[in-house]
Amino acid sequence: MILVGLTGGIGSGKSTVSAMLLEHGAVIVDADRIARELQEPGSPLLGRMAERFGAHIISDDGSLDRGAVAAIVFNDKQALADLNGIVHPAMQAEIEAQIDAHRDSDRVVVLDFPLLAENPRKGLAATIVVDVDPELAVERLVAQRGMDETDARARINSQIERHDRLAIATHVIDNSGSFEALEERVDEVWRELTALPQTSS
């Protein structure tokens, strides 16, 4: 197994790069998807979140109202810390289980984790950072996700600084150009990843 980290700020195109790596044959361990699965209706984790933040974070259909949670935690550091304290241990256990399933293989396993710079992981053979200028990220969030510009800026500003994220990179994928240019860069990075030695731990 070659274990690789993948991260990038909101609006960077990290999910697009993740999908491209999947097409190349990578195993994707998607932290956001794991979090969603752990927070499905009726899950113990969702119950603990409702105890801490109030029943209003659960919609009528039993699903998590992510907007309601975001509104609470984005401007309250203690609330964010409490949320992380509830979600992260369960997420970490599932992430490790998915990685361990491929530990004895020769696959490239990509840990797709938005908070990799904030929560560094030891033992990675490489760390890919998908990077765009924050202003371009705002434009894309507004145009492609229909996000309010003020909300988009607030979300970007709540994340780690761009230069701090870039500081952990062994491979930077600049996603400020065309889709074709992105494909070419991902192809190049993939060739470099497959030449890396196996991850020992």
Side-chain angles (χ1 to χ4, degrees):
M1 175 185 73
I2 299 170
L3 182 59
V4 175
L6 172 66
T7 194
I10 187 170
S12 66
K14 177 184 62 63
S15 296
T16 301
V17 170
S18 184
M20 289 178 176
L21 292 169
L22 179 65
E23 288 180 5
H24 277 292
V27 173
I28 306 296
V29 178
D30 185 335
D32 280 347
R33 182 180 300 164
I34 289 170
R36 286 194 297 271
E37 290 171 353
L38 289 170
Q39 295 165 353
E40 286 180 347
S43 67
L45 195 68
L46 190 56
R48 290 179 60 201
M49 290 173 63
E51 285 177 16
R52 167 61 181 84
F53 300 110
H56 72 282
I57 69 165
I58 300 179
S59 301
D60 292 340
D61 62 1
S63 65
L64 176 64
D65 182 342
R66 297 181 187 282
V69 176
I72 295 169
V73 303
F74 269 121
N75 296 307
D76 185 335
K77 289 184 178 180
Q78 184 56 54
L80 180 59
D82 291 346
L83 175 65
N84 290 339
I86 294 169
V87 175
H88 282 182
M91 269 186 65
Q92 211 47 53
E94 180 59 27
I95 285 170
E96 295 305 324
Q98 292 193 19
I99 290 172
D100 284 343
H102 300 280
R103 195 165 293 281
D104 296 328
S105 75
D106 60 357
R107 305 288 298 275
V108 175
V109 178
V110 176
L111 173 56
D112 180 344
F113 189 23
L115 300 178
L116 191 59
E118 293 91 330
N119 299 278
R121 181 190 171 94
K122 294 180 181 177
L124 295 174
T127 300
I128 302 167
V129 172
V130 185
D131 181 59
V132 294
D133 183 275
E135 288 302 315
L136 181 54
V138 169
E139 288 178 23
R140 288 177 175 173
L141 290 169
V142 172
Q144 298 172 11
R145 298 197 200 177
M147 198 176 282
D148 176 78
E149 182 178 337
T150 302
D151 185 29
R153 292 188 185 280
R155 287 173 183 255
I156 288 171
N157 290 336
S158 73
Q159 296 183 329
I160 196 168
E161 293 284 347
R162 181 186 184 188
H163 62 84
D164 290 328
R165 188 184 296 112
L166 286 169
I168 70 165
T170 60
H171 297 73
V172 176
I173 295 180
D174 177 3
N175 188 21
S176 59
S178 67
F179 187 79
E180 291 73 21
L182 180 63
E183 285 184 312
E184 287 180 12
R185 177 59 180 146
V186 171
D187 290 349
E188 182 181 7
V189 169
W190 178 256
R191 289 192 296 271
E192 293 172 3
L193 295 179
T194 55
L196 291 170
Q198 299 276 312
T199 304
S200 57
S201 61

